[in-house]
Amino acid sequence: MAERRAFAQKISRTVAAEVRKQIAGQYGGSPQLFKNLNVGTATSNTVPLTESVEPVDFEEYLITHPPIVESGPLRDLIEFPQDDIEVIYSPRECRTVAQGVPEEGDTDAHVRDCVRSYTEDWALVNRRYHKLGTGFNPNTLDKQKERQKGLPKQVFEADEMPETSTYQDDQDDLKRRSMSIDDTPRGSWACSIFDLKNSLPDVLLPHLLDRAPNEEIDRHNEDQRKCHRNRELFALYPALDEEEPIERHCVPEVPKEHFGQRLLVKCLSLKFEIEIEPIFASLALYDVKEKKKISENFFFDLNSEQTKAMLRPHVQTAAISTLARSAIFSITYPSQDVFLVIKLEKVLQQGDIGECAEPYMVMKESDATKNKEKLEKLRSQSEQFCQRLGRYRMPFAWTAIHLMNIVNSAGSLERDTELEMSLSERKGSWSERRNSSIMGRRSLERTTSGDESCSLTGFRPATLTITNFFKQEGDRLSDEDLYKFLADMRRPSSVLRRLRPITAQLKLDISPAPENPHYCLTPDLLQVKPYPDSRVRPTREILEFPARDVYVPNTTYRESEVLYT
């Protein structure tokens, strides 16, 4: 074995544990190093230095060691108030005529409790002495702005800039009174004399040398400090940063169903050059920037009674909810990138989509007598397909409306407007023109920008006439293709030129939704108060796909259907 070197012989081999034991023996009795544990030998109460010490249970310590203090005015400061927690039951508001929950019946007890959670009253836990805690912060931003409304604006001399004319006149007057100032070097004794002669004396302080007792001076100063003083002086200080690592006990609001800015869309009529079969339409909102669909589909039927009779073998009785022709859309974040997409469908039939749409692009209403035999043949074929495949649909055509373009154009006019939207085949862009019966052929094309305010509450109602649709290309319009087409409608390019238009006429009425609309149905087809007559054609509320920051789960009961493929 090699011998130890000279410097290594002086190094102490004392272990750190032995050092801790020596220190513990010298400073015995420390409360942090002892604990009553029935471990090890019964005669030793010392805590091994190698084991971690558990923290003291504060609540248990207070129960076992009640505070022993004499009765006095400060006794409440060391005791927990017995009436701190107060439970208040608030009735749950129901906006529908009937509750939208299933009947209890012979269901499981746990299921019944879950159902009752949507109908029972709210239990609000209120802490009476919450404001006395250190985690309570009364200086919120809204309260601070409210307090600052009545404060006078402080103006200092440094904030007041002298007027140019006044300042120049003073300088000219000073030069006229002392013509030798310009010839005198700055900083000399002569310049100081001129400054003193031309300066104004200060205002004399009254009663400066009068004798007054100290008590009267203190009282006068105290009255001056209280004059025009805000009651909540320290509350005017800016609120602390919310990102500070301090626990904040905020009282939560009562959960309620979220609604954004509501838009009412009424579907008035849908006409084609030829009428040979039933055509079905749907509306939905899309956000081009986020590249997602932000609402459910609203299906409406504008076919005549004669055309509906072709589907009578498949549709025996129609529910009142299927007769809705107006919808209320909710938009939480209205922007310049929201589009109202309209899709048309027809009864499934044999052949390619291009072949099925060819008669609508070739035939005109004026040629009805000329092509009478051909139209009769097409109607007979459509009746056969409706009898055989009346339950199935196939895509037919689509179009889109730049929503904020309509809102901005309608809001800039002084009365209700009627807009005509058509597709320019030469440029491949959308144009908006007022009807000739109102304002002639003046163009209403408006360039939208992100700086404009996107509000759906203050514009005037507008009636739109859409005169062109895009023929459906392929079996399915993918979402990626749809977003490209919608983006091209804002910045016209050659993408839309490849699509063939179908001449049609769809009239829509767009306006802000009223606060309490009559004859309205929820997305779950429940009647919203007030609903005077159940036989009137209803208005449908279309469910919005909300963002994560405004989504409030477990507030309303909504049934969901699971589709198995």
Side-chain angles (χ1 to χ4, degrees), residues 92 101-102 104 108-121:
R92 185 191 294 260
V101 296
E104 295 185 359
D108 186 66
H110 179 66
V111 176
R112 291 196 298 269
D113 292 339
C114 294
V115 172
R116 290 196 195 100
S117 65
Y118 293 97
T119 57
E120 291 183 347
D121 296 339

Side-chain angles (χ1 to χ4, degrees), residues 153-171:
K153 185 178 180 181
Q154 299 291 336
V155 180
F156 301 94
E157 296 178 357
D159 300 332
E160 295 181 348
M161 298 299 295
E163 297 182 2
T164 308
S165 59
T166 307
Y167 181 75
Q168 188 65 30
D169 294 342
D170 295 343
Q171 293 295 328

Side-chain angles (χ1 to χ4, degrees), residues 84-154:
D84 183 22
I85 297 179
E86 179 186 11
V87 180
I88 303 174
Y89 290 93
S90 175
R92 185 191 294 260
E93 296 182 1
C94 182
R95 57 189 297 263
T96 56
V97 176
Q99 293 283 356
V101 296
E103 299 180 358
E104 295 185 359
D106 298 332
T107 56
D108 186 66
H110 179 66
V111 176
R112 291 196 298 269
D113 292 339
C114 294
V115 172
R116 290 196 195 100
S117 65
Y118 293 97
T119 57
E120 291 183 347
D121 296 339
W122 297 109
L124 307 179
V125 180
N126 181 28
R127 296 184 179 271
R128 298 181 178 179
Y129 307 104
H130 173 65
K131 297 182 180 180
L132 302 178
T134 57
F136 178 74
N137 181 21
N139 298 334
T140 59
L141 185 59
D142 297 336
K143 290 184 178 180
Q144 187 178 5
K145 291 181 179 179
E146 188 68 24
R147 295 190 188 100
Q148 294 175 354
K149 285 183 178 180
L151 295 179
K153 185 178 180 181
Q154 299 291 336

Side-chain angles (χ1 to χ4, degrees), residues 107-236:
T107 56
D108 186 66
H110 179 66
V111 176
R112 291 196 298 269
D113 292 339
C114 294
V115 172
R116 290 196 195 100
S117 65
Y118 293 97
T119 57
E120 291 183 347
D121 296 339
W122 297 109
L124 307 179
V125 180
N126 181 28
R127 296 184 179 271
R128 298 181 178 179
Y129 307 104
H130 173 65
K131 297 182 180 180
L132 302 178
T134 57
F136 178 74
N137 181 21
N139 298 334
T140 59
L141 185 59
D142 297 336
K143 290 184 178 180
Q144 187 178 5
K145 291 181 179 179
E146 188 68 24
R147 295 190 188 100
Q148 294 175 354
K149 285 183 178 180
L151 295 179
K153 185 178 180 181
Q154 299 291 336
V155 180
F156 301 94
E157 296 178 357
D159 300 332
E160 295 181 348
M161 298 299 295
E163 297 182 2
T164 308
S165 59
T166 307
Y167 181 75
Q168 188 65 30
D169 294 342
D170 295 343
Q171 293 295 328
D172 296 340
D173 185 36
L174 183 62
K175 290 181 180 180
R176 284 193 299 269
R177 285 184 294 173
S178 177
M179 298 302 295
S180 60
I181 290 182
D182 297 335
D183 302 331
T184 305
R186 194 70 181 170
S188 63
W189 64 272
C191 180
S192 301
I193 293 176
F194 292 136
D195 292 342
L196 289 175
K197 288 183 177 180
N198 296 323
S199 62
L200 298 176
D202 296 336
V203 181
L204 297 178
L205 299 177
H207 311 290
L208 178 62
L209 302 178
D210 296 347
R211 291 182 177 274
N214 296 335
E215 293 80 5
E216 184 178 353
I217 295 177
D218 294 340
R219 183 184 58 79
H220 178 71
N221 293 337
E222 185 178 358
D223 295 341
Q224 290 292 330
R225 287 194 299 267
K226 291 183 179 180
C227 183
H228 304 293
R229 183 174 182 176
N230 194 284
R231 295 182 178 180
E232 299 177 348
L233 182 61
F234 293 100
L236 298 177

Side-chain angles (χ1 to χ4, degrees), residues 7-44:
F7 74 92
Q9 294 178 1
K10 299 180 181 181
I11 298 177
S12 176
R13 290 192 175 184
T14 308
V15 188
E18 297 178 359
V19 177
R20 287 196 295 268
K21 288 181 180 180
Q22 294 176 6
I23 296 175
Q26 295 176 5
Y27 298 94
S30 176
Q32 298 180 357
L33 301 177
F34 295 94
K35 189 175 181 182
N36 295 329
L37 296 175
N38 297 326
V39 234
T41 59
T43 58
S44 176

